[in-house]
Structures are given as structure tokens and as C-alpha cells.
Amino acid sequence: MKCLRCGKQTFADFLPVSLDVLFFVFLSPSVCFLLPSTVMFPLRVPIFAVLVSLTVGQYDDYDYQPASQYGPSSANCAQECECPINFPTAMYCDSRNLKFVPIVPSGIKYLYLQNNLIEEIKAGVFDNVTAELRWLVLDHNQITNEKVAKGTIDKLTGLHKILFSFNKLTEAVIPPSMSLDELKMMNNQLSKFPAGSLAGMQNLTSVHLQNNELTSKALNGVFKGLNKLVAIDLTNNKLKKLPSGMPSSLETFYGDHNGISSIAAGDLKELPKLAYLRLAYNQMTDAGIPAGVFNVTSLIELDLSYNKLQSIPEINEQLEHLYLQVNEINKFNLENICKFSGPLNYSRLKHLRLDGNNITHADLPHDSSNCLRQASDIIFD
């Protein structure tokens, strides 16, 4: 089940019991809780106040309530953790100063180990759940590759999600699960990504690898053939160009804060569904952008801010958001926005940012109003 407001999965997706009609309680833009109808009505002010007090930031990323709210723990549980009787397939071991991963008993599908002091994953800890574990959350620990024993993560064939951010990994640790749909290894020290490690993962939809040390070479071909992959985030790595072999299903690519200096002529032609492309804070110049490389009908948002461009690049008339602030642009190239202007030929741009360049509102061509008829704001200094 997904929240109708934030679109995030809720813990109802893995509840082992049938509940009455569920109602969403929105406690913040990123937190949604679910309550049975019998609890919601009548909803009194004191109850609502208690619910608001439970919006603790550490749970925002995992879409579940603290285990203590679910009552006593099941006997089928590691002694260091809690497994609520009403939700016996979930084991909550988060925020307990653990230094190791406890042995996971059979029947556990959702394992939460974030916010601990874990340095090591010892052999045998997952032996009881190699095929049935669905979610593995290891964020905010101190795990290194050398301390991940063989026969642990590399035996988890049923994982749907692995969240392994804010650790000390230098090489991506990938489970051999064809069911994997979400991979998050942000804020590590990754410089290596094993070739072929994602091959055949046809359910993978999103990969988040921001704030690492990955190069274009390390990622070349890694995403090839992943026909359901729609989002890749490589913000703040060491890319010099876009990784090769990205799948035609891709809709979102974030590559801000890298060292990208050029885009190859055919890069975006191989991505017919790409709608959101962010390449701010890179090293791109006019010479590194072939004519028409961004003139693709699928793009909705293009962010090239904080680069070294001297002119407005050629875009497609379907683009809605163009961010070019803080470059070296010294001319308003209207012909790169609209090849022709007429009743049916005009730009769909709604937002255009040009502040922080060598250009002012006075440089806007006198005949731009027809081309930019849908623009609600054009920002100069």
C-alpha cells in the first residue's frame, strides 16, 4: 500500500494480519502513519497530540513505527531485538548500540539494524532467512567490506530492498536477488562496483549511490539491460562523463557535483524516457556539448547550473524547467529555445533561470514573448 499524499510505501505492505479500513495520518511531509478505523474515530485532540510527538526523524526513511508501539515481543526473536507479536515477520534491532548483527531466526522478512555501532557481519547470521528476508536496513553503522563475511549478504536470494548507507564500504555489496527493487548505498567510500553484479535484476527500479567516490569507468555497463530501472542518483561522485550502458527505461538521472565536462552526442538518444536530468556543479563548457544533444522530446527538467557555459544550449520545445544560473552566458540565444515561433510553435518553458551570468533582462530579444508565452518566470540578476 502507498500513501496517497507522499507516494511512499507504508508498513502495511508487509503486515501479516488483515486490518480494517486504514486511514493515513499525515504528521510531516515525509512521515505517514496508518491507523485502523476503530482508532481514528472519534479522533480527539489529546490522541492527535500523542501521534504528533511520535514523529521521530530516525524513522522517516523506513516507513514504520517504533516497535515499542506494537506491544510485547514474540519469542521467535533475537534477544537483542524486538519482534512485535502482531507483526512477527519484522525484527527491530535499530538504535541499540549493537556491535554485531545478531543471528536472525527463521520467519523474519524485515530486518532493521540502522543507527548502531555494527562493524562486522559474521558468517551464519542470515542462514535461517537466505530465501525469505525481504528488507535489510543497515544504515548508519561502521561496516567495512573486510568485515562482511562470505555466506552472508551474498546468500540473500529473496531481498527486495537493501539500505546500506552511511557506512565505510569501498566496494558495493550486492545480494544475488532477482527480486531486488531498491538499492541504496549512499555516503560510503565506494570506488568499485563489481562488473555484472546487477545483471538480470529485472525488478530493480532505483539505485542511490550519491556521496561516494565512483568514477565513470567503474560504472560503465553496470546498469545495462535493467529494463525496469527508472532512477539513478550519482550526485557527488567522481564522474567525468555519463556512465555508458544506462537502460532505455531511465526517467531520472542526477549527476550533480561531479567533474563532468562533456556529453557524448548519442548519450540521451539512448534514453527515450529520460524526463529529469540534473548536472549542476560540473565542468561543462560549450565545447563539451554537441549541437542538439539536449534537444530531446522526453525532457521536462534540465539543470545545468554552476557550470562554465557561455551560451544557452539547444533544447526541445517540450522542456518545462531550465536552470542555467551561475554560468558564463553572455547572450540570449532565443533560436536555441524556439527554432520557429508561431501559433503552434512555441516553448513550453515555465521556469528559466539565468541569474549569475553576464546577461540581464535588457538582453531578452524583443520578439521573445511569442516563443516564451508559457514562462511564468524568467530570472536574471
Side-chain angles (χ1 to χ4, degrees), residues 256 279-282 302-309 312-313 321-329 351-359 377 379-381:
D256 300 333
L279 297 171
Y281 294 93
N282 278 287
L302 176 61
D303 188 348
L304 299 174
S305 59
Y306 295 88
N307 277 279
K308 298 180 179 181
L309 303 179
I312 297 174
H321 308 279
L322 178 59
Y323 303 100
L324 294 170
Q325 66 269 26
V326 194
N327 275 275
E328 300 170 9
I329 296 171
H351 305 284
L352 172 60
R353 285 195 61 176
L354 288 164
D355 43 313
N357 284 284
N358 302 317
I359 190 173
D377 57 75
I379 301 175
F380 296 89
D381 282 331

PDB file of all heavy atoms in Angstrom, residues 256 279-282 302-309 312-313 321-329 351-359 377 379-381:
ATOM      1  N   ASP A 256      24.708  15.736 -10.224  1.00  0.00           N
ATOM      2  CA  ASP A 256      25.261  16.990  -9.695  1.00  0.00           C
ATOM      3  C   ASP A 256      26.570  16.734  -8.951  1.00  0.00           C
ATOM      4  O   ASP A 256      26.834  15.636  -8.464  1.00  0.00           O
ATOM      5  CB  ASP A 256      24.269  17.638  -8.718  1.00  0.00           C
ATOM      6  CG  ASP A 256      22.929  17.967  -9.355  1.00  0.00           C
ATOM      7  OD1 ASP A 256      22.897  18.185 -10.575  1.00  0.00           O
ATOM      8  OD2 ASP A 256      21.918  17.981  -8.631  1.00  0.00           O
ATOM      9  N   LEU A 279      22.603  18.093 -13.818  1.00  0.00           N
ATOM     10  CA  LEU A 279      24.056  18.057 -13.971  1.00  0.00           C
ATOM     11  C   LEU A 279      24.677  19.355 -13.457  1.00  0.00           C
ATOM     12  O   LEU A 279      25.643  19.858 -14.019  1.00  0.00           O
ATOM     13  CB  LEU A 279      24.419  17.835 -15.443  1.00  0.00           C
ATOM     14  CG  LEU A 279      23.960  16.501 -16.052  1.00  0.00           C
ATOM     15  CD1 LEU A 279      24.193  16.493 -17.557  1.00  0.00           C
ATOM     16  CD2 LEU A 279      24.674  15.324 -15.402  1.00  0.00           C
ATOM     17  N   ALA A 280      24.131  19.889 -12.389  1.00  0.00           N
ATOM     18  CA  ALA A 280      24.659  21.118 -11.794  1.00  0.00           C
ATOM     19  C   ALA A 280      26.010  20.857 -11.128  1.00  0.00           C
ATOM     20  O   ALA A 280      26.356  19.727 -10.801  1.00  0.00           O
ATOM     21  CB  ALA A 280      23.668  21.662 -10.766  1.00  0.00           C
ATOM     22  N   TYR A 281      26.784  21.931 -10.959  1.00  0.00           N
ATOM     23  CA  TYR A 281      28.083  21.854 -10.289  1.00  0.00           C
ATOM     24  C   TYR A 281      29.001  20.836 -10.968  1.00  0.00           C
ATOM     25  O   TYR A 281      29.509  19.902 -10.358  1.00  0.00           O
ATOM     26  CB  TYR A 281      27.912  21.498  -8.810  1.00  0.00           C
ATOM     27  CG  TYR A 281      27.223  22.559  -7.992  1.00  0.00           C
ATOM     28  CD1 TYR A 281      25.837  22.507  -7.804  1.00  0.00           C
ATOM     29  CD2 TYR A 281      27.943  23.609  -7.421  1.00  0.00           C
ATOM     30  CE1 TYR A 281      25.189  23.497  -7.053  1.00  0.00           C
ATOM     31  CE2 TYR A 281      27.299  24.592  -6.669  1.00  0.00           C
ATOM     32  CZ  TYR A 281      25.924  24.524  -6.493  1.00  0.00           C
ATOM     33  OH  TYR A 281      25.278  25.492  -5.758  1.00  0.00           O
ATOM     34  N   ASN A 282      29.188  21.020 -12.266  1.00  0.00           N
ATOM     35  CA  ASN A 282      30.137  20.215 -13.013  1.00  0.00           C
ATOM     36  C   ASN A 282      31.090  21.133 -13.761  1.00  0.00           C
ATOM     37  O   ASN A 282      31.257  22.298 -13.387  1.00  0.00           O
ATOM     38  CB  ASN A 282      29.388  19.246 -13.947  1.00  0.00           C
ATOM     39  CG  ASN A 282      28.921  17.991 -13.222  1.00  0.00           C
ATOM     40  OD1 ASN A 282      29.705  17.126 -12.887  1.00  0.00           O
ATOM     41  ND2 ASN A 282      27.604  17.908 -12.949  1.00  0.00           N
ATOM     42  N   LEU A 302      15.781  20.241 -16.941  1.00  0.00           N
ATOM     43  CA  LEU A 302      17.213  20.178 -17.235  1.00  0.00           C
ATOM     44  C   LEU A 302      17.926  21.197 -16.353  1.00  0.00           C
ATOM     45  O   LEU A 302      17.640  22.396 -16.407  1.00  0.00           O
ATOM     46  CB  LEU A 302      17.466  20.487 -18.714  1.00  0.00           C
ATOM     47  CG  LEU A 302      18.929  20.555 -19.164  1.00  0.00           C
ATOM     48  CD1 LEU A 302      19.640  19.224 -18.945  1.00  0.00           C
ATOM     49  CD2 LEU A 302      19.011  20.967 -20.635  1.00  0.00           C
ATOM     50  N   ASP A 303      18.858  20.717 -15.536  1.00  0.00           N
ATOM     51  CA  ASP A 303      19.607  21.589 -14.639  1.00  0.00           C
ATOM     52  C   ASP A 303      21.083  21.549 -15.022  1.00  0.00           C
ATOM     53  O   ASP A 303      21.761  20.535 -14.835  1.00  0.00           O
ATOM     54  CB  ASP A 303      19.422  21.128 -13.190  1.00  0.00           C
ATOM     55  CG  ASP A 303      20.016  22.124 -12.186  1.00  0.00           C
ATOM     56  OD1 ASP A 303      20.757  23.036 -12.603  1.00  0.00           O
ATOM     57  OD2 ASP A 303      19.726  21.983 -10.983  1.00  0.00           O
ATOM     58  N   LEU A 304      21.564  22.665 -15.576  1.00  0.00           N
ATOM     59  CA  LEU A 304      22.971  22.813 -15.955  1.00  0.00           C
ATOM     60  C   LEU A 304      23.596  23.986 -15.209  1.00  0.00           C
ATOM     61  O   LEU A 304      24.572  24.572 -15.669  1.00  0.00           O
ATOM     62  CB  LEU A 304      23.081  23.032 -17.467  1.00  0.00           C
ATOM     63  CG  LEU A 304      22.543  21.912 -18.364  1.00  0.00           C
ATOM     64  CD1 LEU A 304      22.577  22.340 -19.830  1.00  0.00           C
ATOM     65  CD2 LEU A 304      23.340  20.630 -18.175  1.00  0.00           C
ATOM     66  N   SER A 305      23.045  24.329 -14.080  1.00  0.00           N
ATOM     67  CA  SER A 305      23.555  25.458 -13.304  1.00  0.00           C
ATOM     68  C   SER A 305      24.949  25.170 -12.765  1.00  0.00           C
ATOM     69  O   SER A 305      25.373  24.025 -12.650  1.00  0.00           O
ATOM     70  CB  SER A 305      22.590  25.785 -12.159  1.00  0.00           C
ATOM     71  OG  SER A 305      22.423  24.665 -11.307  1.00  0.00           O
ATOM     72  N   TYR A 306      25.674  26.236 -12.453  1.00  0.00           N
ATOM     73  CA  TYR A 306      27.014  26.131 -11.867  1.00  0.00           C
ATOM     74  C   TYR A 306      27.949  25.305 -12.746  1.00  0.00           C
ATOM     75  O   TYR A 306      28.604  24.366 -12.294  1.00  0.00           O
ATOM     76  CB  TYR A 306      26.942  25.562 -10.452  1.00  0.00           C
ATOM     77  CG  TYR A 306      26.223  26.471  -9.480  1.00  0.00           C
ATOM     78  CD1 TYR A 306      24.840  26.387  -9.319  1.00  0.00           C
ATOM     79  CD2 TYR A 306      26.918  27.446  -8.757  1.00  0.00           C
ATOM     80  CE1 TYR A 306      24.161  27.238  -8.448  1.00  0.00           C
ATOM     81  CE2 TYR A 306      26.245  28.295  -7.880  1.00  0.00           C
ATOM     82  CZ  TYR A 306      24.872  28.187  -7.735  1.00  0.00           C
ATOM     83  OH  TYR A 306      24.208  29.028  -6.884  1.00  0.00           O
ATOM     84  N   ASN A 307      28.001  25.672 -14.027  1.00  0.00           N
ATOM     85  CA  ASN A 307      28.955  25.095 -14.956  1.00  0.00           C
ATOM     86  C   ASN A 307      29.743  26.240 -15.600  1.00  0.00           C
ATOM     87  O   ASN A 307      29.872  27.309 -15.003  1.00  0.00           O
ATOM     88  CB  ASN A 307      28.233  24.221 -15.984  1.00  0.00           C
ATOM     89  CG  ASN A 307      27.948  22.817 -15.457  1.00  0.00           C
ATOM     90  OD1 ASN A 307      28.817  21.954 -15.469  1.00  0.00           O
ATOM     91  ND2 ASN A 307      26.729  22.590 -14.974  1.00  0.00           N
ATOM     92  N   LYS A 308      30.221  26.042 -16.816  1.00  0.00           N
ATOM     93  CA  LYS A 308      31.038  27.058 -17.481  1.00  0.00           C
ATOM     94  C   LYS A 308      30.508  27.357 -18.881  1.00  0.00           C
ATOM     95  O   LYS A 308      31.273  27.650 -19.800  1.00  0.00           O
ATOM     96  CB  LYS A 308      32.491  26.595 -17.540  1.00  0.00           C
ATOM     97  CG  LYS A 308      33.124  26.384 -16.171  1.00  0.00           C
ATOM     98  CD  LYS A 308      34.567  25.920 -16.267  1.00  0.00           C
ATOM     99  CE  LYS A 308      35.192  25.750 -14.891  1.00  0.00           C
ATOM    100  NZ  LYS A 308      36.621  25.316 -14.974  1.00  0.00           N
ATOM    101  N   LEU A 309      29.200  27.303 -19.036  1.00  0.00           N
ATOM    102  CA  LEU A 309      28.587  27.537 -20.335  1.00  0.00           C
ATOM    103  C   LEU A 309      28.609  29.035 -20.676  1.00  0.00           C
ATOM    104  O   LEU A 309      28.409  29.880 -19.798  1.00  0.00           O
ATOM    105  CB  LEU A 309      27.152  27.033 -20.341  1.00  0.00           C
ATOM    106  CG  LEU A 309      26.942  25.553 -19.991  1.00  0.00           C
ATOM    107  CD1 LEU A 309      25.456  25.215 -20.006  1.00  0.00           C
ATOM    108  CD2 LEU A 309      27.707  24.659 -20.965  1.00  0.00           C
ATOM    109  N   ILE A 312      23.221  29.641 -24.192  1.00  0.00           N
ATOM    110  CA  ILE A 312      22.096  28.776 -23.859  1.00  0.00           C
ATOM    111  C   ILE A 312      22.113  27.582 -24.810  1.00  0.00           C
ATOM    112  O   ILE A 312      22.109  27.769 -26.029  1.00  0.00           O
ATOM    113  CB  ILE A 312      20.766  29.545 -23.999  1.00  0.00           C
ATOM    114  CG1 ILE A 312      20.729  30.704 -22.992  1.00  0.00           C
ATOM    115  CG2 ILE A 312      19.578  28.601 -23.793  1.00  0.00           C
ATOM    116  CD1 ILE A 312      19.529  31.604 -23.154  1.00  0.00           C
ATOM    117  N   PRO A 313      22.155  26.358 -24.309  1.00  0.00           N
ATOM    118  CA  PRO A 313      22.203  25.201 -25.205  1.00  0.00           C
ATOM    119  C   PRO A 313      20.877  24.984 -25.930  1.00  0.00           C
ATOM    120  O   PRO A 313      19.823  25.433 -25.463  1.00  0.00           O
ATOM    121  CB  PRO A 313      22.511  24.045 -24.258  1.00  0.00           C
ATOM    122  CG  PRO A 313      21.973  24.470 -22.947  1.00  0.00           C
ATOM    123  CD  PRO A 313      22.156  25.963 -22.893  1.00  0.00           C
ATOM    124  N   HIS A 321      11.357  23.171 -17.507  1.00  0.00           N
ATOM    125  CA  HIS A 321      12.168  23.801 -16.468  1.00  0.00           C
ATOM    126  C   HIS A 321      13.635  23.760 -16.899  1.00  0.00           C
ATOM    127  O   HIS A 321      14.195  22.676 -17.098  1.00  0.00           O
ATOM    128  CB  HIS A 321      12.003  23.082 -15.133  1.00  0.00           C
ATOM    129  CG  HIS A 321      10.571  22.896 -14.723  1.00  0.00           C
ATOM    130  ND1 HIS A 321       9.831  23.884 -14.121  1.00  0.00           N
ATOM    131  CD2 HIS A 321       9.737  21.834 -14.865  1.00  0.00           C
ATOM    132  CE1 HIS A 321       8.602  23.436 -13.894  1.00  0.00           C
ATOM    133  NE2 HIS A 321       8.521  22.200 -14.345  1.00  0.00           N
ATOM    134  N   LEU A 322      14.241  24.923 -17.003  1.00  0.00           N
ATOM    135  CA  LEU A 322      15.637  25.021 -17.434  1.00  0.00           C
ATOM    136  C   LEU A 322      16.394  25.899 -16.443  1.00  0.00           C
ATOM    137  O   LEU A 322      16.050  27.068 -16.224  1.00  0.00           O
ATOM    138  CB  LEU A 322      15.722  25.614 -18.840  1.00  0.00           C
ATOM    139  CG  LEU A 322      17.129  25.829 -19.413  1.00  0.00           C
ATOM    140  CD1 LEU A 322      17.896  24.519 -19.477  1.00  0.00           C
ATOM    141  CD2 LEU A 322      17.051  26.472 -20.792  1.00  0.00           C
ATOM    142  N   TYR A 323      17.429  25.327 -15.839  1.00  0.00           N
ATOM    143  CA  TYR A 323      18.211  26.028 -14.827  1.00  0.00           C
ATOM    144  C   TYR A 323      19.635  26.230 -15.342  1.00  0.00           C
ATOM    145  O   TYR A 323      20.376  25.269 -15.528  1.00  0.00           O
ATOM    146  CB  TYR A 323      18.214  25.229 -13.523  1.00  0.00           C
ATOM    147  CG  TYR A 323      16.818  24.965 -12.991  1.00  0.00           C
ATOM    148  CD1 TYR A 323      16.188  23.740 -13.196  1.00  0.00           C
ATOM    149  CD2 TYR A 323      16.119  25.962 -12.313  1.00  0.00           C
ATOM    150  CE1 TYR A 323      14.898  23.509 -12.734  1.00  0.00           C
ATOM    151  CE2 TYR A 323      14.830  25.739 -11.848  1.00  0.00           C
ATOM    152  CZ  TYR A 323      14.224  24.513 -12.059  1.00  0.00           C
ATOM    153  OH  TYR A 323      12.943  24.299 -11.606  1.00  0.00           O
ATOM    154  N   LEU A 324      19.996  27.491 -15.571  1.00  0.00           N
ATOM    155  CA  LEU A 324      21.306  27.837 -16.128  1.00  0.00           C
ATOM    156  C   LEU A 324      22.023  28.884 -15.278  1.00  0.00           C
ATOM    157  O   LEU A 324      22.977  29.509 -15.732  1.00  0.00           O
ATOM    158  CB  LEU A 324      21.134  28.379 -17.559  1.00  0.00           C
ATOM    159  CG  LEU A 324      20.609  27.390 -18.604  1.00  0.00           C
ATOM    160  CD1 LEU A 324      20.259  28.108 -19.895  1.00  0.00           C
ATOM    161  CD2 LEU A 324      21.638  26.295 -18.877  1.00  0.00           C
ATOM    162  N   GLN A 325      21.599  29.053 -14.029  1.00  0.00           N
ATOM    163  CA  GLN A 325      22.200  30.085 -13.199  1.00  0.00           C
ATOM    164  C   GLN A 325      23.672  29.776 -12.918  1.00  0.00           C
ATOM    165  O   GLN A 325      24.103  28.631 -12.884  1.00  0.00           O
ATOM    166  CB  GLN A 325      21.420  30.261 -11.887  1.00  0.00           C
ATOM    167  CG  GLN A 325      21.451  29.079 -10.933  1.00  0.00           C
ATOM    168  CD  GLN A 325      20.297  28.113 -11.150  1.00  0.00           C
ATOM    169  OE1 GLN A 325      19.757  28.013 -12.237  1.00  0.00           O
ATOM    170  NE2 GLN A 325      19.939  27.396 -10.098  1.00  0.00           N
ATOM    171  N   VAL A 326      24.417  30.841 -12.728  1.00  0.00           N
ATOM    172  CA  VAL A 326      25.848  30.798 -12.392  1.00  0.00           C
ATOM    173  C   VAL A 326      26.633  30.002 -13.450  1.00  0.00           C
ATOM    174  O   VAL A 326      27.247  28.976 -13.164  1.00  0.00           O
ATOM    175  CB  VAL A 326      26.084  30.235 -10.972  1.00  0.00           C
ATOM    176  CG1 VAL A 326      27.527  30.521 -10.534  1.00  0.00           C
ATOM    177  CG2 VAL A 326      25.112  30.829  -9.964  1.00  0.00           C
ATOM    178  N   ASN A 327      26.584  30.495 -14.675  1.00  0.00           N
ATOM    179  CA  ASN A 327      27.462  30.058 -15.742  1.00  0.00           C
ATOM    180  C   ASN A 327      28.200  31.293 -16.251  1.00  0.00           C
ATOM    181  O   ASN A 327      28.414  32.236 -15.485  1.00  0.00           O
ATOM    182  CB  ASN A 327      26.652  29.377 -16.857  1.00  0.00           C
ATOM    183  CG  ASN A 327      26.399  27.902 -16.579  1.00  0.00           C
ATOM    184  OD1 ASN A 327      27.236  27.052 -16.874  1.00  0.00           O
ATOM    185  ND2 ASN A 327      25.230  27.583 -16.016  1.00  0.00           N
ATOM    186  N   GLU A 328      28.570  31.302 -17.509  1.00  0.00           N
ATOM    187  CA  GLU A 328      29.261  32.448 -18.099  1.00  0.00           C
ATOM    188  C   GLU A 328      28.519  32.918 -19.347  1.00  0.00           C
ATOM    189  O   GLU A 328      29.114  33.434 -20.290  1.00  0.00           O
ATOM    190  CB  GLU A 328      30.707  32.063 -18.429  1.00  0.00           C
ATOM    191  CG  GLU A 328      31.505  31.615 -17.209  1.00  0.00           C
ATOM    192  CD  GLU A 328      32.851  31.000 -17.563  1.00  0.00           C
ATOM    193  OE1 GLU A 328      33.245  31.083 -18.750  1.00  0.00           O
ATOM    194  OE2 GLU A 328      33.505  30.455 -16.655  1.00  0.00           O
ATOM    195  N   ILE A 329      27.213  32.763 -19.347  1.00  0.00           N
ATOM    196  CA  ILE A 329      26.383  33.070 -20.514  1.00  0.00           C
ATOM    197  C   ILE A 329      26.356  34.579 -20.752  1.00  0.00           C
ATOM    198  O   ILE A 329      26.126  35.362 -19.827  1.00  0.00           O
ATOM    199  CB  ILE A 329      24.960  32.522 -20.315  1.00  0.00           C
ATOM    200  CG1 ILE A 329      25.001  30.985 -20.235  1.00  0.00           C
ATOM    201  CG2 ILE A 329      24.030  32.972 -21.437  1.00  0.00           C
ATOM    202  CD1 ILE A 329      23.705  30.342 -19.825  1.00  0.00           C
ATOM    203  N   HIS A 351       9.762  27.782 -16.287  1.00  0.00           N
ATOM    204  CA  HIS A 351      10.762  28.400 -15.418  1.00  0.00           C
ATOM    205  C   HIS A 351      12.111  28.403 -16.126  1.00  0.00           C
ATOM    206  O   HIS A 351      12.579  27.368 -16.601  1.00  0.00           O
ATOM    207  CB  HIS A 351      10.872  27.643 -14.097  1.00  0.00           C
ATOM    208  CG  HIS A 351       9.576  27.498 -13.368  1.00  0.00           C
ATOM    209  ND1 HIS A 351       8.996  28.529 -12.670  1.00  0.00           N
ATOM    210  CD2 HIS A 351       8.740  26.450 -13.241  1.00  0.00           C
ATOM    211  CE1 HIS A 351       7.851  28.123 -12.143  1.00  0.00           C
ATOM    212  NE2 HIS A 351       7.667  26.860 -12.481  1.00  0.00           N
ATOM    213  N   LEU A 352      12.733  29.567 -16.181  1.00  0.00           N
ATOM    214  CA  LEU A 352      14.050  29.728 -16.782  1.00  0.00           C
ATOM    215  C   LEU A 352      14.891  30.606 -15.867  1.00  0.00           C
ATOM    216  O   LEU A 352      14.536  31.755 -15.588  1.00  0.00           O
ATOM    217  CB  LEU A 352      13.933  30.372 -18.168  1.00  0.00           C
ATOM    218  CG  LEU A 352      15.242  30.785 -18.854  1.00  0.00           C
ATOM    219  CD1 LEU A 352      16.153  29.581 -19.050  1.00  0.00           C
ATOM    220  CD2 LEU A 352      14.958  31.484 -20.178  1.00  0.00           C
ATOM    221  N   ARG A 353      16.002  30.041 -15.385  1.00  0.00           N
ATOM    222  CA  ARG A 353      16.894  30.798 -14.506  1.00  0.00           C
ATOM    223  C   ARG A 353      18.185  31.129 -15.226  1.00  0.00           C
ATOM    224  O   ARG A 353      18.871  30.243 -15.748  1.00  0.00           O
ATOM    225  CB  ARG A 353      17.184  30.019 -13.227  1.00  0.00           C
ATOM    226  CG  ARG A 353      16.025  29.999 -12.248  1.00  0.00           C
ATOM    227  CD  ARG A 353      16.462  29.534 -10.876  1.00  0.00           C
ATOM    228  NE  ARG A 353      17.480  30.406 -10.288  1.00  0.00           N
ATOM    229  CZ  ARG A 353      17.968  30.254  -9.059  1.00  0.00           C
ATOM    230  NH1 ARG A 353      17.521  29.262  -8.294  1.00  0.00           N
ATOM    231  NH2 ARG A 353      18.898  31.056  -8.597  1.00  0.00           N
ATOM    232  N   LEU A 354      18.512  32.412 -15.233  1.00  0.00           N
ATOM    233  CA  LEU A 354      19.725  32.900 -15.879  1.00  0.00           C
ATOM    234  C   LEU A 354      20.520  33.819 -14.958  1.00  0.00           C
ATOM    235  O   LEU A 354      21.456  34.491 -15.400  1.00  0.00           O
ATOM    236  CB  LEU A 354      19.375  33.642 -17.167  1.00  0.00           C
ATOM    237  CG  LEU A 354      18.901  32.752 -18.331  1.00  0.00           C
ATOM    238  CD1 LEU A 354      18.222  33.583 -19.395  1.00  0.00           C
ATOM    239  CD2 LEU A 354      20.065  31.969 -18.919  1.00  0.00           C
ATOM    240  N   ASP A 355      20.171  33.853 -13.675  1.00  0.00           N
ATOM    241  CA  ASP A 355      20.897  34.705 -12.743  1.00  0.00           C
ATOM    242  C   ASP A 355      22.326  34.188 -12.555  1.00  0.00           C
ATOM    243  O   ASP A 355      22.607  33.016 -12.722  1.00  0.00           O
ATOM    244  CB  ASP A 355      20.172  34.779 -11.403  1.00  0.00           C
ATOM    245  CG  ASP A 355      19.650  33.430 -10.917  1.00  0.00           C
ATOM    246  OD1 ASP A 355      19.026  32.710 -11.726  1.00  0.00           O
ATOM    247  OD2 ASP A 355      19.872  33.093  -9.741  1.00  0.00           O
ATOM    248  N   GLY A 356      23.215  35.094 -12.239  1.00  0.00           N
ATOM    249  CA  GLY A 356      24.605  34.716 -12.057  1.00  0.00           C
ATOM    250  C   GLY A 356      25.350  34.534 -13.365  1.00  0.00           C
ATOM    251  O   GLY A 356      26.347  33.804 -13.420  1.00  0.00           O
ATOM    252  N   ASN A 357      24.882  35.180 -14.443  1.00  0.00           N
ATOM    253  CA  ASN A 357      25.548  35.143 -15.736  1.00  0.00           C
ATOM    254  C   ASN A 357      25.887  36.567 -16.174  1.00  0.00           C
ATOM    255  O   ASN A 357      25.654  37.535 -15.443  1.00  0.00           O
ATOM    256  CB  ASN A 357      24.643  34.467 -16.773  1.00  0.00           C
ATOM    257  CG  ASN A 357      24.604  32.953 -16.604  1.00  0.00           C
ATOM    258  OD1 ASN A 357      25.530  32.256 -16.966  1.00  0.00           O
ATOM    259  ND2 ASN A 357      23.503  32.454 -16.033  1.00  0.00           N
ATOM    260  N   ASN A 358      26.438  36.703 -17.363  1.00  0.00           N
ATOM    261  CA  ASN A 358      26.779  38.015 -17.906  1.00  0.00           C
ATOM    262  C   ASN A 358      25.667  38.486 -18.842  1.00  0.00           C
ATOM    263  O   ASN A 358      25.903  38.835 -19.999  1.00  0.00           O
ATOM    264  CB  ASN A 358      28.111  37.942 -18.664  1.00  0.00           C
ATOM    265  CG  ASN A 358      29.244  37.466 -17.783  1.00  0.00           C
ATOM    266  OD1 ASN A 358      29.365  37.890 -16.628  1.00  0.00           O
ATOM    267  ND2 ASN A 358      30.080  36.583 -18.301  1.00  0.00           N
ATOM    268  N   ILE A 359      24.465  38.472 -18.326  1.00  0.00           N
ATOM    269  CA  ILE A 359      23.293  38.775 -19.130  1.00  0.00           C
ATOM    270  C   ILE A 359      22.232  39.382 -18.220  1.00  0.00           C
ATOM    271  O   ILE A 359      22.134  39.020 -17.033  1.00  0.00           O
ATOM    272  CB  ILE A 359      22.790  37.483 -19.822  1.00  0.00           C
ATOM    273  CG1 ILE A 359      21.724  37.769 -20.875  1.00  0.00           C
ATOM    274  CG2 ILE A 359      22.300  36.482 -18.817  1.00  0.00           C
ATOM    275  CD1 ILE A 359      21.342  36.523 -21.684  1.00  0.00           C
ATOM    276  N   ASP A 377       8.119  32.608 -15.021  1.00  0.00           N
ATOM    277  CA  ASP A 377       9.212  33.417 -14.504  1.00  0.00           C
ATOM    278  C   ASP A 377      10.492  33.169 -15.284  1.00  0.00           C
ATOM    279  O   ASP A 377      10.831  32.043 -15.610  1.00  0.00           O
ATOM    280  CB  ASP A 377       9.445  33.181 -12.999  1.00  0.00           C
ATOM    281  CG  ASP A 377       9.717  31.739 -12.669  1.00  0.00           C
ATOM    282  OD1 ASP A 377      10.827  31.273 -12.951  1.00  0.00           O
ATOM    283  OD2 ASP A 377       8.834  31.071 -12.100  1.00  0.00           O
ATOM    284  N   ILE A 379      14.306  34.472 -14.690  1.00  0.00           N
ATOM    285  CA  ILE A 379      15.064  35.139 -13.625  1.00  0.00           C
ATOM    286  C   ILE A 379      16.426  35.567 -14.137  1.00  0.00           C
ATOM    287  O   ILE A 379      17.223  34.743 -14.597  1.00  0.00           O
ATOM    288  CB  ILE A 379      15.206  34.223 -12.401  1.00  0.00           C
ATOM    289  CG1 ILE A 379      13.817  33.823 -11.869  1.00  0.00           C
ATOM    290  CG2 ILE A 379      16.015  34.913 -11.310  1.00  0.00           C
ATOM    291  CD1 ILE A 379      13.854  32.831 -10.747  1.00  0.00           C
ATOM    292  N   PHE A 380      16.678  36.848 -14.058  1.00  0.00           N
ATOM    293  CA  PHE A 380      18.014  37.402 -14.271  1.00  0.00           C
ATOM    294  C   PHE A 380      18.502  37.912 -12.916  1.00  0.00           C
ATOM    295  O   PHE A 380      17.840  37.742 -11.898  1.00  0.00           O
ATOM    296  CB  PHE A 380      17.950  38.554 -15.276  1.00  0.00           C
ATOM    297  CG  PHE A 380      17.508  38.141 -16.651  1.00  0.00           C
ATOM    298  CD1 PHE A 380      16.173  38.130 -16.994  1.00  0.00           C
ATOM    299  CD2 PHE A 380      18.432  37.765 -17.605  1.00  0.00           C
ATOM    300  CE1 PHE A 380      15.739  37.755 -18.270  1.00  0.00           C
ATOM    301  CE2 PHE A 380      18.039  37.391 -18.881  1.00  0.00           C
ATOM    302  CZ  PHE A 380      16.681  37.381 -19.208  1.00  0.00           C
ATOM    303  N   ASP A 381      19.661  38.533 -12.894  1.00  0.00           N
ATOM    304  CA  ASP A 381      20.148  39.129 -11.636  1.00  0.00           C
ATOM    305  C   ASP A 381      19.262  40.298 -11.233  1.00  0.00           C
ATOM    306  O   ASP A 381      18.747  41.014 -12.073  1.00  0.00           O
ATOM    307  CB  ASP A 381      21.587  39.599 -11.809  1.00  0.00           C
ATOM    308  CG  ASP A 381      22.543  38.415 -11.728  1.00  0.00           C
ATOM    309  OD1 ASP A 381      22.219  37.434 -11.046  1.00  0.00           O
ATOM    310  OD2 ASP A 381      23.612  38.487 -12.369  1.00  0.00           O
TER     311      ASP A 381
END
